[in-house]
């Protein structure tokens, strides 16, 4: 699909048969080919870096009337990914059981190999599903834990994961040990030691949210994992906000188990996720959706979803192409630059509270800002009403503010409006 046009590829499938593409599919194929060609042009050198990022913006179909600064919830897809989904979906509808199961289903193994390259692990340690919640709950409900076994996690973890662990505690009698942080923190030892103090002979697993979704705090996953592994404790990493955002290979985090949503920072189709299980752990982790052999060592036992969107799954490959075209380091540097750009311009106002780390070692695109003596909801409402800036108010445990998450298509001119809005609200009575 990446060296031939969509319709040439389709023709190779139908040669010698009576199957012919419909007029609608031909039109979609031509549109898809055009979007791939346009993406390839982005590789051409630019006179300066801002010109490159301007071209990246043109690769998206984002609204011209709303400034979207809630990419942390879900990111839009580049046009080439959208076109791929449309093409594969229309192809599936030409004859669903034929094209879905006999054709597109065969693309999962090449896709697994492709994903393994950017994930930095073995292909047979990766499974595709619908989001990080599904991936992580596969792990949480699949672990062979007994009454009295202890799990260490934090009050700042994502609610779906917290609720999953609470359900296991309710159902199976496991014990949850909580760490509660006052973020932002820019000191590894403070974070690592807080986890380590909860470890004991009953601890079976620790959950590490690599990047806290509320305020963008990055945790030193590998250092925490090393402490845990030294005591025989397994490590689950929630990579929902760090995968394809922060450059790393999954094994570098010290993870035995890992889950991520691909529709966040990879800009893959909505409803696409990734599960990683270290090869040595697969046989002991039950699948969430049962297969023939729950003790199998095959990572594919976690893909027993039945009928799913093959269009979404296959278009993940186009999102990987787009990611690789930008480059992991270049993307991260830009995302951090955008966060730093607006933060520097508001941080010295006496009424502004910066709730995210500013050090590049502990942060990326995701930030959080509050205004003293004012509700996060009021700031979020003001930014939208006055400047059509879409962001989200956060009130979770001890984190209170508005989450600001630009993406690679965000312009500095848009962030100038954000700065103006924050300062205007901070000055208001």
């Amino acid at each position: 699909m990446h060296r031939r046009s969509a319709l040439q590829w389709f023709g190779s499938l139908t040669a010698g048969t009576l199957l012919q593409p419909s007029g609608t599919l031909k039109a979609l194929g031509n549109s898809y080919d055009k979007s791939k060609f346009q993406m390839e042009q982005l590789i051409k050198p630019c006179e300066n870096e801002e010109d490159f990022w301007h071209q990246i913006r043109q690769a998206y179909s984002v609204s011209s009337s709303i400034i979207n600064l809630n990419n942390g919830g879900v990111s839009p897809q580049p046009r080439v990914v959208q076109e791929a989904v449309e093409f594969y979906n229309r192809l599936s509808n030409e004859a669903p059981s034929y094209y879905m199961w006999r054709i597109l289903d065969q693309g999962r193994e090449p896709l697994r190999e492709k994903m393994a390259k950017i994930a930095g692990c073995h292909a047979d340690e990766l499974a595709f599903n619908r989001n990080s919640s599904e991936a992580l709950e596969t792990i949480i409900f699949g672990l062979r834990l007994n009454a009295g076994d202890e799990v260490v996690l934090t009050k700042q973890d994502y609610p779906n994961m917290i609720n999953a662990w609470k359900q296991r505690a309710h159902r199976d009698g496991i014990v949850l040990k909580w760490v509660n942080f006052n973020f932002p923190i820019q000191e590894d030892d403070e974070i690592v030691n807080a986890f380590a103090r909860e470890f004991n002979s009953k601890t079976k697993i620790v959950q590490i949210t690599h990047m806290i979704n509320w305020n963008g705090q990055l945790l030193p996953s590998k250092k925490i994992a090393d402490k845990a592994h030294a005591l025989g404790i397994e490590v689950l990493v929630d990579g929902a906000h760090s995968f394809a955002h922060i450059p790393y290979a999954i094994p570098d985090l010290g993870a035995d188990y890992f889950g991520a949503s691909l529709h966040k920072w990879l800009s893959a189709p909505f409803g696409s996720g990734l599960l990683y299980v270290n090869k040595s752990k697969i046989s002991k982790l039950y699948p969430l959706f049962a297969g023939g052999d729950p003790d199998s060592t095959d990572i594919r036992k976690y893909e027993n979803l039945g009928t799913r969107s093959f269009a979404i799954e296959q278009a993940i490959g186009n999102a990987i192409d787009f990611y690789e075209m930008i480059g992991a380091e270049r993307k991260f540097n830009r995302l951090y630059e955008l966060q730093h750009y607006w933060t520097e311009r508001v941080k010295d106002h006496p009424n502004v509270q910066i709730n995210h780390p500013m050090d590049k070692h502990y942060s990326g695109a995701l930030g959080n800002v509050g205004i003293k003596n004012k509700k996060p909801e009021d700031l979020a409402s003001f930014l939208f009403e006055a400047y059509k800036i879409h962001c989200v108010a956060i009130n979770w445990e001890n984190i209170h503010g508005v989450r600001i998450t630009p993406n690679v298509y965000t312009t500095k001119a848009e962030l100038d409006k954000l700065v103006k809005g924050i300062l205007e609200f901070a000055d208001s009575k």
Side-chain angles (χ1 to χ4, degrees):
M1 280 300 295
H2 305 288
R3 287 182 169 83
R4 292 181 292 174
S5 75
L7 293 177
Q8 284 176 326
W9 172 80
F10 186 95
S12 70
L13 298 178
T14 62
T17 74
L18 297 177
L19 297 173
Q20 293 296 324
S22 65
T24 300
L25 189 62
K26 286 181 180 179
L28 283 169
N30 289 332
S31 179
Y32 178 26
D33 290 338
K34 181 180 179 181
S35 66
K36 286 193 293 180
F37 174 78
Q38 291 172 338
M39 188 196 77
E40 290 165 1
Q41 302 312 299
L42 298 176
I43 301 173
K44 293 181 178 180
C46 299
E47 290 185 5
N48 63 62
E49 193 71 358
E50 288 303 317
D51 287 343
F52 174 78
W53 296 112
H54 177 73
Q55 290 185 54
I56 292 297
R57 183 178 177 85
Q58 305 315 305
Y60 285 81
S61 58
V62 294
S63 173
S64 59
S65 59
I66 295 176
I67 299 174
N68 179 24
L69 294 180
N70 189 26
N71 293 281
V74 59
S75 289
Q77 302 145 41
R79 283 192 180 90
V80 67
V81 177
Q82 297 178 50
E83 297 280 2
V85 172
E86 291 294 322
F87 178 79
Y88 289 130
N89 189 55
R90 288 297 186 117
L91 174 63
S92 296
N93 277 285
E94 298 271 315
S97 65
Y98 175 79
Y99 286 115
M100 289 169 61
W101 298 107
R102 296 192 185 184
I103 304 300
L104 296 183
D105 193 42
Q106 307 310 308
R108 190 174 302 112
E109 295 314 312
L111 178 62
R112 200 186 311 275
E113 293 285 345
K114 192 170 188 173
M115 180 61 74
K117 290 180 181 178
I118 68 166
C121 62
H122 296 289
D124 54 7
E125 294 177 314
L126 297 176
F128 295 103
N129 52 30
R130 293 170 290 191
N131 49 59
S132 53
S133 291
E134 183 172 88
L136 294 166
E137 289 190 43
T138 295
I139 300 160
I140 292 169
F141 292 115
L143 288 166
R144 304 186 184 196
L145 300 175
N146 301 308
D149 289 343
E150 294 187 1
V151 177
V152 175
L153 62 163
T154 85
K155 292 286 189 178
Q156 287 73 37
D157 289 336
Y158 191 66
N160 285 6
M161 283 47 269
I162 288 175
N163 290 336
W165 283 119
K166 285 182 176 179
Q167 183 167 307
R168 281 224 66 175
H170 176 77
R171 187 182 69 186
D172 302 319
I174 65 171
V175 178
L176 306 181
K177 303 296 288 293
W178 299 94
V179 181
N180 193 15
F181 288 107
N182 290 306
F183 293 133
I185 299 173
Q186 298 186 158
E187 172 58 52
D188 281 5
D189 288 347
E190 182 178 347
I191 298 171
V192 174
N193 292 337
F195 276 96
R197 282 193 292 269
E198 301 299 327
F199 296 163
N200 59 58
S201 60
K202 294 181 180 179
T203 309
K204 301 303 179 184
I205 191 161
V206 56
Q207 175 173 296
I208 303 168
T209 300
H210 191 209
M211 176 176 277
I212 303 297
N213 81 292
W214 311 115
N215 76 327
Q217 172 80 49
L218 198 65
L219 303 188
S221 178
K222 183 61 164 61
K223 290 185 177 181
I224 301 167
D226 286 347
K227 289 278 190 180
H229 285 149
L231 299 172
I233 300 167
E234 293 187 312
V235 176
L236 182 162
V237 175
D238 179 345
H241 276 278
S242 65
F243 187 74
H245 179 174
I246 310 296
Y248 61 81
I250 292 175
D252 292 344
L253 304 180
D256 298 302
Y257 312 98
F258 173 95
S261 289
L262 302 178
H263 52 242
K264 291 186 183 291
W265 296 102
L266 187 62
S267 288
F270 307 138
S272 56
L274 186 68
L275 168 69
Y276 163 90
V277 183
N278 182 280
K279 291 168 72 173
S280 66
K281 306 291 183 179
I282 294 173
S283 65
K284 297 298 182 183
L285 183 73
Y286 286 121
L288 191 61
F289 299 97
D293 180 8
D295 299 327
S296 170
T297 60
D298 190 341
I299 193 71
R300 294 156 191 82
K301 73 181 184 182
Y302 304 114
E303 295 175 336
N304 292 315
L305 302 179
T307 302
R308 85 282 315 257
S309 173
F310 291 87
I312 287 175
E313 187 173 80
Q314 284 304 296
I316 293 170
N318 299 84
I320 294 174
D321 289 341
F322 193 81
Y323 173 75
E324 290 186 314
M325 180 273 297
I326 295 175
E329 292 287 344
R330 190 182 200 180
K331 178 177 180 178
F332 169 66
N333 288 335
R334 177 62 173 185
L335 291 174
Y336 175 78
E337 178 188 7
L338 293 174
Q339 180 262 104
H340 189 71
Y341 180 85
W342 72 262
T343 303
E344 279 292 316
R345 285 158 177 76
V346 303
K347 68 180 178 64
D348 293 328
H349 191 289
N351 293 333
V352 170
Q353 296 176 319
I354 299 300
N355 300 320
H356 59 269
M358 295 185 63
D359 190 312
K360 197 173 184 178
H361 181 68
Y362 296 96
S363 63
L366 201 158
N368 185 298
V369 61
I371 305 299
K372 291 179 182 178
N373 302 317
K374 295 189 178 182
K375 296 178 180 179
E377 295 88 346
D378 292 340
L379 174 57
S381 295
F382 173 80
L383 290 173
F384 188 79
E385 291 168 5
Y387 294 96
K388 291 298 179 284
I389 295 172
H390 172 59
C391 49
V392 61
I394 300 297
N395 283 297
W396 182 261
E397 293 293 336
N398 52 6
I399 300 175
H400 305 283
V402 171
R403 188 176 70 179
I404 305 295
T405 46
N407 206 332
V408 291
Y409 64 82
T410 305
T411 67
K412 290 182 177 178
E414 290 174 326
L415 295 180
D416 287 338
K417 290 184 179 180
L418 170 69
V419 169
K420 184 178 179 182
I422 291 172
L423 295 178
E424 185 179 336
F425 189 76
D427 284 334
S428 64
K429 300 298 184 182

